Amino acid sequence: TLAGGSGGDMFLHLVQVDDALIRGSQWWRPFTASLVDYGLVHFAVTNIGLLVLGAEAEAVLGAPAFITVYTLSAAVGVLATVALDANTALTVGGSDALMGVFGAMAVYTLVNDEPAWTP
């Protein structure tokens, strides 16, 4: 790895998030945790969802808003996981970010209600 350790060391360095690390000025940990997935299946499902939903969300919301929603959803999801479960020290946030994009699209759909389709 880049840091000279094993792959497991790098994984732990990216995904270990707890109060001591965040309060110890490592504020970037919730963001790096969102870049890591637990295994190939988690990676595939998250990225397929992002491919399908993300393309539509970016087209509807615009690139800056999409990036903002994705990034903030990832960080808030990781922080919420740590806040709600005191035993959690390792967390990944890619699926948190995807759920945030899903929520943004749901709100967009409710706010911009179009008339029902009639043949």
Side-chain angles (χ1 to χ4, degrees), residues 5-108:
S6 70
D9 293 340
M10 178 60 81
F11 179 79
L12 290 176
H13 185 69
L14 290 173
V15 302
Q16 187 174 9
V17 178
D18 61 17
D19 292 339
L21 292 173
I22 294 169
R23 290 185 185 144
S25 76
Q26 294 186 6
W27 55 267
W28 46 269
R29 291 287 181 123
F31 297 101
T32 59
S34 69
L35 300 174
V36 181
D37 289 301
Y38 282 133
L40 185 59
V41 172
H42 188 254
F43 175 79
V45 170
T46 301
N47 283 294
I48 289 170
L50 186 59
L51 181 67
V52 172
L53 182 63
E56 182 69 21
E58 185 179 7
V60 169
L61 302 174
F66 172 76
I67 292 169
T68 301
V69 167
Y70 187 85
T71 304
L72 291 178
S73 298
V76 169
V78 169
L79 292 173
T81 301
V82 172
L84 295 173
D85 186 2
N87 297 325
T88 299
L90 302 177
T91 183
V92 294
S95 51
D96 296 339
L98 184 60
M99 290 298 109
V101 172
F102 180 78
M105 289 299 291
V107 168
Y108 178 86

